[in-house]
Amino acid sequence: MLDKTKRDWWKSAVFYQIYPKSFQDANGDGVGDLRGIIGRLDYLEKLGVDGIWLSPVYASPHRDNGYDISDYRAVHPLFGTMADMDELIAEADRRGLTIIMDLVLNHSSDQHPWFLSAKSSRKSPCHDYYIWRDGTPDCPPNGTRAVFGGSAWTYVPEIGQYYYNQFSPWQPDLNWENPALRRELYDMIRFWVDKGVGGFRLDAIDKMGKEPDREGLFCSHPRLHQYMREMRREAFREDTLVTVGEAWGTGVEEAMLYANANGSELSMIFQFEHTFLDQVDKWGRIPLPLVKLKRCYEQWQHGLAGRGWNSLFLNNHDLPRIVSRWGDDGTYRVESAKMLAMMCHGMQGTPYIYQGEELGMTNIRLSIEEYDDLEIKNHFQEELAKGRTPEEIMPSIYTWGRDNARTPMQWTGGDWAGFSTVKPWLPVNPNYSAINAESALADPDSIFYFYQKLITLRKQLPVFREGSFTLLCPEDEKRFAYTRDTADEHLLVVCNFTAETLPECCPEAFCGAEVLLANYGDPSGPLRPYEARMLRRKGA
Ligand code: TEU
């Protein structure tokens, strides 16, 4: 078990993200809950992870599944009670699992009492907790569009003002320039730290410093880093807390500020550059340019080495399933899921596994009525309004829709995949009879045990944490190979990103080296479809 009294213990850790609505339903209402999670902690312990990032479980109208919080200090009754939350923290702790809460500080719900008060009168003490501009109903302050569609400005006729909403009208942006608001948020964070949570994932942090008067959504305002440092001093006082900020628009240079080595801001960030390469825009797909992907990883591995810290992830609740995206969710589902896992977990940083990734769960195709996500629904309506047909719109939803990642966790081959005893809130992927945790646990060659081995190796070998990264054959369009090196230990990772058989790729120094892990038996000779090998040698 990791020594979590050390200030950067999280550099040796692996985390697991739970999307509570879809993880495990214990009370038979078709929605996952905290007691469901408690019942699955043994599974996570077996996988070997050190902590759980829990997507929001706070009180919320659930316009955006909890990323619209109406009470930061209360648990949504859908998920259980505060007593359940206390029990989850304690039971997780007993198994060496740290709970990381999701914190949505860029915006609240429009049903939060602060906002209800703020919009009732310009004189409300909470009015300035949000961002307002005078205006008339037909003339918003500017043409900025919200992430989920429509204008980023919503009019409140009662007070003759617009409020600013970067995501949706149900998610009004908080005004970080107001010190009283910041104080409220820091106090709220202390409430959770005092309860025993070990860290936080901070939603959309790059949007917290705002420039509402410039047209467009601008990230990373200079004052943002002042706020980060203030929050570290005031709210994240303990050096051992792990803090990870979600920053879609952040490059290496800025990441070094957030995740700087002296710890004055956050432990690390989630950056997304590697997730944009096979997109033309949010809804259009191009084939993955492997050379660019490799260069992108190289840049982050080199950029933050010794000066910051990377997070490593392929999936989360906003992204399509990686095996459907960069792998092959048909013939080579198992091989490609393992290959992608090795590619990711072999690098320097803290890996995050998203629920079901360790089973090789895949994307889903639903009818538009069956989808739940507001982003999908808004996109569909906006495209219809532009004159496109449903047949033209649906493929992009099948590819990028966030509900791909949000279908219920597949536990068994039984009714509702063992997720619930009743019809779940979102359909179960029909492939659950073949892809589920029960069969994965019964198969020593499963993707689950491959992840378990990667996690164990990371704990055993310092080279995972310390080793420098060198990209091999950068221009190779089909294979991704790299080494990790310390003075006396060396790793080689070789991944075939195609369904073709390719020539072997093994630098001389690794000839005859120990095979630590591979996704095929007899890992030697040509690389079979999606084959991945990890070799180790000792010495200089
Ligand atoms: O995501 C931030 C964000 O920018 C995403 O909305 C992203 O643009 C989109 O998901 C791409 O499909 C965070 C949360 O992770 C997300 O679930 C929330 O909906 C969003 O913030 C608003 O809180």
Side-chain angles (χ1 to χ4, degrees):
M1 209 184 277
L2 293 178
D3 177 0
K4 293 186 178 174
T5 61
K6 289 214 173 107
R7 71 182 299 229
D8 58 0
W9 63 270
W10 37 265
K11 289 188 177 172
S12 306
V14 179
F15 291 96
Y16 186 93
Q17 183 191 353
I18 289 182
Y19 196 67
K21 242 179 137 170
S22 298
F23 191 62
Q24 175 71 67
D25 174 19
N27 68 349
D29 62 357
V31 178
D33 45 45
L34 295 173
R35 302 220 67 81
I37 299 173
I38 294 170
R40 294 295 183 184
L41 290 174
D42 290 345
Y43 170 85
L44 298 181
E45 192 180 14
K46 180 159 191 160
L47 182 59
V49 294
D50 307 284
I52 297 168
W53 152 23
L54 193 61
S55 277
V57 293
Y58 310 94
S60 160
H62 270 227
R63 290 284 193 162
D64 188 15
N65 285 340
Y67 286 91
D68 49 329
I69 299 171
S70 53
D71 185 348
Y72 289 89
R73 295 176 192 233
V75 170
H76 195 305
L78 254 186
F79 297 129
T81 62
M82 192 55 90
D84 295 331
M85 188 66 218
D86 291 335
E87 191 177 326
L88 172 61
I89 295 169
E91 283 297 313
D93 189 55
R94 241 167 35 83
R95 293 167 176 81
L97 296 165
T98 298
I99 300 283
I100 297 182
M101 297 288 278
D102 215 314
L103 266 185
V104 188
L105 304 179
N106 175 69
H107 47 269
S108 72
S109 157
D110 66 339
Q111 298 304 307
H112 194 291
W114 295 337
F115 188 73
L116 294 176
S117 166
K119 74 167 194 179
S120 70
S121 158
R122 294 183 183 212
K123 295 208 178 84
S124 152
C126 298
H127 189 70
D128 190 50
Y129 282 16
Y130 297 87
I131 297 166
W132 301 95
R133 295 287 180 271
D134 292 344
T136 50
D138 50 349
C139 188
N142 58 41
T144 301
R145 309 283 298 167
V147 172
F148 298 139
S151 171
W153 294 101
T154 304
Y155 192 62
V156 179
E158 292 77 11
I159 58 171
Q161 287 188 310
Y162 281 89
Y163 64 88
Y164 187 55
N165 53 263
Q166 292 190 74
F167 286 94
S168 78
W170 305 291
Q171 294 161 302
D173 274 58
L174 289 163
N175 178 15
W176 268 74
E177 293 192 18
N178 181 313
L181 180 260
R182 298 206 301 276
R183 183 78 262 152
E184 296 252 26
L185 295 175
Y186 302 155
D187 289 348
M188 175 275 291
I189 292 171
R190 294 309 299 171
F191 167 84
W192 287 103
V193 174
D194 292 345
K195 277 204 167 289
V197 310
F200 299 91
R201 176 265 188 189
L202 297 114
D203 191 68
I205 44 162
D206 51 349
K207 293 196 163 61
M208 273 164 32
K210 338 207 183 221
E211 296 182 77
D213 296 316
R214 281 172 72 188
E215 189 145 328
L217 296 177
F218 291 94
C219 293
S220 305
H221 190 276
R223 261 197 302 282
L224 187 58
H225 293 282
Q226 281 175 28
Y227 301 148
M228 290 293 142
R229 289 192 290 272
E230 182 185 82
M231 183 157 52
R232 167 73 166 95
R233 287 194 307 272
E234 299 288 325
F236 304 141
R237 287 183 218 137
E238 294 77 0
D239 282 339
T240 50
L241 283 176
V242 47
T243 51
V244 46
E246 184 208 31
W248 280 71
T250 298
V252 174
E253 291 304 313
E254 201 184 356
M256 271 184 304
L257 293 176
Y258 285 118
N260 67 70
N262 68 26
S264 63
E265 296 194 14
L266 303 174
S267 312
M268 64 193 117
I269 61 158
F270 290 128
Q271 62 83 19
F272 289 80
E273 281 191 352
H274 60 290
T275 72
F276 297 138
L277 301 171
D278 51 346
Q279 281 178 282
V280 268
D281 59 38
K282 170 69 184 89
W283 298 95
R285 184 182 200 177
I286 51 169
L288 176 69
L290 187 62
V291 171
K292 281 194 187 157
L293 181 75
K294 295 193 293 187
R295 287 294 193 194
C296 174
Y297 276 124
E298 179 185 44
Q299 192 199 358
W300 282 91
Q301 289 287 298
H302 288 174
L304 294 192
R307 289 182 287 178
W309 191 250
N310 274 292
S311 68
L312 303 170
F313 70 97
L314 298 170
N315 271 115
N316 67 29
H317 63 292
D318 294 331
L319 300 172
R321 292 282 179 182
I322 201 65
V323 69
S324 300
R325 181 176 181 179
W326 292 354
D328 172 351
D329 63 10
T331 315
Y332 297 112
R333 186 184 66 85
V334 174
E335 291 80 0
S336 63
K338 291 178 181 175
M339 181 278 282
L340 291 164
M342 185 187 286
M343 182 276 291
C344 179
H345 284 241
M347 286 188 269
Q348 187 176 48
T350 299
Y352 291 77
I353 300 166
Y354 178 67
Q355 66 184 42
E357 181 185 333
E358 77 284 9
L359 305 176
M361 277 177 63
T362 66
N363 281 354
I364 195 169
R365 289 176 176 217
L366 301 173
S367 67
I368 190 65
E369 294 74 29
E370 288 173 303
Y371 284 108
D372 170 86
D373 178 27
L374 88 164
E375 183 179 59
I376 293 179
K377 289 189 177 293
N378 287 352
H379 171 68
F380 186 80
Q381 291 307 331
E382 285 198 343
E383 294 301 305
L384 271 189
K386 286 183 202 158
R388 298 182 68 202
T389 65
E391 293 68 35
E392 287 168 331
I393 306 168
M394 292 314 286
S396 63
I397 293 176
Y398 299 151
T399 306
W400 297 118
R402 303 195 298 180
D403 284 342
N404 278 313
R406 299 177 181 183
T407 60
M409 182 72 179
Q410 293 163 210
W411 292 107
T412 71
D415 289 350
W416 314 116
F419 164 73
S420 177
T421 50
V422 301
K423 187 175 178 209
W425 70 282
L426 193 66
V428 176
N429 194 313
N431 62 21
Y432 72 92
S433 46
I435 304 173
N436 62 66
E438 193 176 48
S439 45
L441 290 172
D443 171 10
D445 268 341
S446 69
I447 304 168
F448 178 93
Y449 290 116
F450 198 84
Y451 271 88
Q452 189 192 55
K453 280 179 203 139
L454 284 167
I455 297 168
T456 309
L457 286 170
R458 176 169 283 270
K459 304 271 162 63
Q460 286 168 348
L461 307 180
V463 65
F464 275 86
R465 174 174 159 145
E466 309 295 344
S468 62
F469 174 95
T470 307
L471 179 63
L472 306 179
C473 315
E475 300 307 321
D476 188 327
E477 289 169 3
K478 297 182 175 174
R479 296 173 300 185
F480 190 167
Y482 61 85
T483 56
R484 300 285 316 280
D485 302 281
T486 57
D488 58 0
E489 191 168 37
H490 312 271
L491 280 187
L492 169 70
V493 173
V494 180
C495 298
N496 177 356
F497 261 71
T498 74
E500 299 163 37
T501 298
L502 301 174
E504 188 172 19
C505 166
C506 186
E508 221 171 285
F510 281 90
C511 286
E514 173 197 4
V515 178
L516 280 181
L517 190 60
N519 62 352
Y520 277 83
D522 186 19
S524 61
L527 289 168
R528 289 155 283 189
Y530 297 100
E531 183 157 0
R533 299 172 188 165
M534 182 182 272
L535 275 63
R536 174 173 76 145
R537 67 176 184 84
K538 302 280 281 177

Coordinates of all heavy atoms in Angstrom, one line a residue, residues 360-400:
G360 N -13.0 -3.2 -21.2 CA -13.1 -3.0 -22.7 C -14.5 -2.7 -23.1 O -14.9 -3.1 -24.2
M361 N -15.2 -1.9 -22.3 CA -16.6 -1.5 -22.7 C -16.5 -0.7 -24.0 O -15.6 0.1 -24.2 CB -17.3 -0.9 -21.6 CG -18.0 -1.9 -20.6 SD -18.8 -1.1 -19.2 CE -20.1 -0.1 -19.9
T362 N -17.6 -0.7 -24.8 CA -17.6 -0.1 -26.1 C -18.6 1.0 -26.2 O -19.5 1.1 -25.3 CB -17.9 -1.1 -27.2 OG1 -19.2 -1.6 -27.0 CG2 -16.9 -2.3 -27.1
N363 N -18.6 1.8 -27.3 CA -19.6 2.8 -27.6 C -21.0 2.1 -27.8 O -21.0 0.9 -28.0 CB -19.2 3.5 -28.9 CG -18.2 4.6 -28.6 OD1 -17.8 4.9 -27.4 ND2 -17.7 5.2 -29.7
I364 N -22.0 2.9 -27.8 CA -23.4 2.4 -28.1 C -24.1 3.2 -29.1 O -23.7 4.4 -29.3 CB -24.1 2.4 -26.7 CG1 -25.4 1.5 -26.8 CG2 -24.5 3.8 -26.3 CD1 -26.1 1.3 -25.5
R365 N -25.1 2.7 -29.8 CA -25.9 3.4 -30.7 C -27.3 3.4 -30.2 O -27.9 2.3 -30.1 CB -25.8 2.8 -32.1 CG -24.5 3.0 -32.7 CD -24.3 2.4 -34.0 NE -23.0 2.7 -34.6 CZ -22.8 3.0 -35.9 NH1 -23.7 2.9 -36.7 NH2 -21.5 3.3 -36.2
L366 N -27.9 4.5 -30.0 CA -29.3 4.6 -29.5 C -30.1 5.5 -30.5 O -29.5 6.1 -31.3 CB -29.3 5.2 -28.1 CG -28.5 4.5 -27.0 CD1 -28.5 5.3 -25.7 CD2 -29.1 3.1 -26.7
S367 N -31.4 5.4 -30.3 CA -32.2 6.4 -31.0 C -32.2 7.7 -30.3 O -31.9 7.7 -29.1 CB -33.7 5.9 -31.1 OG -34.2 5.9 -29.8
I368 N -32.4 8.8 -31.0 CA -32.3 10.1 -30.3 C -33.1 10.2 -29.1 O -32.7 10.8 -28.1 CB -32.5 11.3 -31.3 CG1 -32.1 12.6 -30.7 CG2 -34.0 11.3 -31.8 CD1 -30.7 12.8 -30.5
E369 N -34.3 9.6 -29.1 CA -35.2 9.6 -27.9 C -34.5 8.9 -26.7 O -34.8 9.3 -25.5 CB -36.5 8.9 -28.1 CG -37.4 9.6 -29.2 CD -36.9 9.4 -30.6 OE1 -36.3 8.4 -30.9 OE2 -37.1 10.3 -31.5
E370 N -33.7 7.9 -26.9 CA -33.1 7.2 -25.8 C -32.0 7.9 -25.2 O -31.6 7.5 -24.1 CB -32.7 5.8 -26.3 CG -33.8 4.8 -26.6 CD -33.2 3.6 -27.3 OE1 -32.5 3.7 -28.3 OE2 -33.5 2.5 -26.7
Y371 N -31.4 8.9 -25.9 CA -30.2 9.6 -25.3 C -30.7 10.5 -24.1 O -31.9 10.9 -24.1 CB -29.5 10.4 -26.3 CG -28.6 9.5 -27.2 CD1 -29.0 9.3 -28.5 CD2 -27.4 9.0 -26.7 CE1 -28.2 8.5 -29.4 CE2 -26.6 8.2 -27.6 CZ -27.0 8.0 -28.9 OH -26.2 7.2 -29.7
D372 N -29.8 10.7 -23.2 CA -30.1 11.6 -22.1 C -29.3 12.9 -22.1 O -29.8 13.9 -21.6 CB -29.8 10.8 -20.8 CG -29.8 11.6 -19.5 OD1 -30.9 11.7 -19.0 OD2 -28.8 12.2 -19.1
D373 N -28.1 12.9 -22.6 CA -27.2 14.0 -22.5 C -27.7 15.3 -23.1 O -28.1 15.3 -24.3 CB -25.8 13.6 -23.1 CG -24.8 14.7 -23.0 OD1 -24.9 15.5 -22.1 OD2 -23.9 14.7 -23.9
L374 N -27.6 16.4 -22.4 CA -28.1 17.6 -22.9 C -27.2 18.1 -24.1 O -27.7 18.7 -25.0 CB -28.1 18.7 -21.8 CG -26.9 19.6 -21.5 CD1 -27.4 20.8 -20.7 CD2 -25.9 18.9 -20.8
E375 N -25.9 17.7 -24.1 CA -25.1 18.2 -25.2 C -25.6 17.4 -26.5 O -25.7 18.1 -27.6 CB -23.6 17.8 -25.0 CG -22.7 18.3 -26.1 CD -21.3 18.0 -25.8 OE1 -20.9 16.8 -25.7 OE2 -20.5 19.0 -25.8
I376 N -25.9 16.1 -26.4 CA -26.4 15.4 -27.6 C -27.7 16.0 -28.1 O -27.9 16.2 -29.2 CB -26.5 13.9 -27.2 CG1 -25.2 13.3 -26.9 CG2 -27.3 13.1 -28.3 CD1 -25.2 11.8 -26.5
K377 N -28.6 16.2 -27.1 CA -29.9 16.7 -27.5 C -29.9 18.0 -28.1 O -30.5 18.3 -29.2 CB -30.9 16.6 -26.3 CG -31.2 15.2 -25.8 CD -32.3 15.2 -24.8 CE -32.7 13.8 -24.4 NZ -33.3 13.0 -25.4
N378 N -29.1 18.9 -27.5 CA -29.0 20.3 -28.1 C -28.3 20.2 -29.5 O -28.7 20.9 -30.4 CB -28.1 21.2 -27.2 CG -28.9 21.6 -26.0 OD1 -30.1 21.3 -25.8 ND2 -28.2 22.2 -25.0
H379 N -27.3 19.4 -29.6 CA -26.6 19.3 -30.9 C -27.6 18.8 -32.0 O -27.7 19.4 -33.1 CB -25.4 18.3 -30.8 CG -24.8 17.9 -32.1 ND1 -24.1 18.8 -32.9 CD2 -24.8 16.8 -32.8 CE1 -23.7 18.2 -34.0 NE2 -24.1 17.0 -34.0
F380 N -28.4 17.8 -31.6 CA -29.4 17.3 -32.6 C -30.3 18.4 -33.0 O -30.6 18.6 -34.2 CB -30.1 16.1 -31.9 CG -31.0 15.4 -32.9 CD1 -30.6 14.4 -33.8 CD2 -32.4 15.6 -32.9 CE1 -31.4 13.8 -34.6 CE2 -33.3 15.0 -33.7 CZ -32.8 14.0 -34.6
Q381 N -30.9 19.1 -32.1 CA -31.8 20.2 -32.4 C -31.2 21.3 -33.3 O -31.8 21.7 -34.2 CB -32.5 20.8 -31.1 CG -33.4 19.8 -30.4 CD -34.5 19.2 -31.3 OE1 -34.9 19.8 -32.2 NE2 -34.9 18.0 -30.9
E382 N -30.0 21.7 -32.9 CA -29.3 22.7 -33.6 C -29.1 22.3 -35.1 O -29.2 23.1 -36.0 CB -28.0 23.1 -33.0 CG -28.2 24.0 -31.7 CD -27.0 24.7 -31.3 OE1 -25.9 24.4 -31.7 OE2 -27.2 25.7 -30.4
E383 N -28.7 21.1 -35.3 CA -28.4 20.6 -36.6 C -29.6 20.4 -37.4 O -29.7 20.8 -38.6 CB -27.6 19.3 -36.6 CG -26.2 19.4 -36.0 CD -25.3 20.3 -36.7 OE1 -25.1 20.2 -37.9 OE2 -24.8 21.3 -36.1
L384 N -30.7 20.0 -36.8 CA -32.0 19.9 -37.5 C -32.4 21.3 -38.0 O -32.8 21.4 -39.1 CB -33.1 19.4 -36.5 CG -33.4 17.9 -36.3 CD1 -34.6 17.8 -35.5 CD2 -33.5 17.2 -37.7
A385 N -32.2 22.3 -37.1 CA -32.6 23.6 -37.4 C -31.8 24.2 -38.6 O -32.3 25.0 -39.3 CB -32.5 24.5 -36.2
K386 N -30.6 23.6 -38.8 CA -29.8 24.0 -39.9 C -30.2 23.3 -41.2 O -29.6 23.5 -42.2 CB -28.3 23.7 -39.7 CG -27.6 24.6 -38.7 CD -26.1 24.2 -38.6 CE -25.5 24.7 -37.2 NZ -24.3 23.9 -36.9
G387 N -31.2 22.4 -41.1 CA -31.7 21.7 -42.3 C -31.1 20.3 -42.5 O -31.3 19.7 -43.5
R388 N -30.3 19.8 -41.6 CA -29.7 18.5 -41.8 C -30.8 17.5 -41.3 O -31.6 17.7 -40.5 CB -28.5 18.3 -41.0 CG -27.4 19.3 -41.4 CD -26.1 19.1 -40.7 NE -25.5 17.9 -41.1 CZ -24.6 17.3 -40.3 NH1 -24.2 17.8 -39.1 NH2 -24.0 16.1 -40.7
T389 N -30.7 16.3 -41.9 CA -31.6 15.2 -41.6 C -31.1 14.4 -40.4 O -29.9 14.3 -40.2 CB -31.8 14.3 -42.8 OG1 -30.6 13.6 -43.0 CG2 -32.3 15.0 -44.0
P390 N -32.0 13.7 -39.7 CA -31.5 12.8 -38.6 C -30.5 11.8 -39.1 O -29.5 11.6 -38.4 CB -32.8 12.1 -38.1 CG -33.9 13.1 -38.5 CD -33.5 13.8 -39.7
E391 N -30.6 11.3 -40.3 CA -29.7 10.3 -40.8 C -28.3 10.9 -40.9 O -27.3 10.3 -40.8 CB -30.1 9.8 -42.2 CG -31.4 8.9 -42.2 CD -32.6 9.7 -41.8 OE1 -32.7 10.9 -42.2 OE2 -33.5 9.2 -41.1
E392 N -28.3 12.2 -41.2 CA -27.0 12.9 -41.4 C -26.4 13.2 -40.0 O -25.2 13.3 -39.8 CB -27.1 14.2 -42.2 CG -27.4 14.0 -43.6 CD -27.8 15.3 -44.3 OE1 -28.4 16.2 -43.7 OE2 -27.5 15.4 -45.5
I393 N -27.2 13.4 -39.0 CA -26.7 13.9 -37.7 C -26.3 12.7 -36.8 O -25.3 12.8 -36.1 CB -27.8 14.7 -37.0 CG1 -28.4 15.8 -37.8 CG2 -27.3 15.2 -35.6 CD1 -29.6 16.5 -37.3
M394 N -27.0 11.6 -36.9 CA -26.8 10.5 -35.9 C -25.3 10.0 -36.0 O -24.8 9.7 -34.9 CB -27.8 9.4 -36.1 CG -29.2 9.7 -35.7 SD -29.4 10.6 -34.2 CE -29.1 9.3 -33.0
P395 N -24.7 9.8 -37.1 CA -23.3 9.3 -37.1 C -22.4 10.0 -36.1 O -21.5 9.4 -35.5 CB -22.8 9.3 -38.5 CG -24.1 9.2 -39.3 CD -25.1 10.0 -38.5
S396 N -22.5 11.4 -36.1 CA -21.6 12.1 -35.3 C -21.9 11.9 -33.8 O -21.0 11.8 -32.9 CB -21.7 13.6 -35.6 OG -22.9 14.1 -35.3
I397 N -23.2 11.6 -33.5 CA -23.6 11.3 -32.1 C -23.1 9.9 -31.7 O -22.5 9.7 -30.6 CB -25.1 11.4 -31.9 CG1 -25.5 12.9 -32.1 CG2 -25.6 10.9 -30.6 CD1 -27.0 13.2 -32.1
Y398 N -23.1 9.0 -32.7 CA -22.6 7.6 -32.4 C -21.1 7.7 -32.1 O -20.6 7.0 -31.3 CB -22.8 6.7 -33.6 CG -24.2 6.4 -34.0 CD1 -24.6 6.1 -35.3 CD2 -25.2 6.5 -33.0 CE1 -25.9 5.9 -35.6 CE2 -26.6 6.3 -33.4 CZ -26.9 6.0 -34.7 OH -28.2 5.8 -35.1
T399 N -20.4 8.7 -32.8 CA -19.0 8.8 -32.6 C -18.6 9.5 -31.4 O -17.7 9.1 -30.6 CB -18.4 9.5 -33.8 OG1 -18.8 8.8 -35.0 CG2 -16.8 9.5 -33.7
W400 N -19.2 10.7 -31.1 CA -18.7 11.6 -30.1 C -19.7 11.7 -28.9 O -19.3 12.3 -27.9 CB -18.5 13.0 -30.6 CG -17.4 13.0 -31.7 CD1 -17.6 13.4 -33.0 CD2 -16.0 12.6 -31.5 NE1 -16.4 13.3 -33.7 CE2 -15.4 12.8 -32.8 CE3 -15.2 12.2 -30.5 CZ2 -14.1 12.5 -33.0 CZ3 -13.9 11.9 -30.7 CH2 -13.3 12.1 -31.9

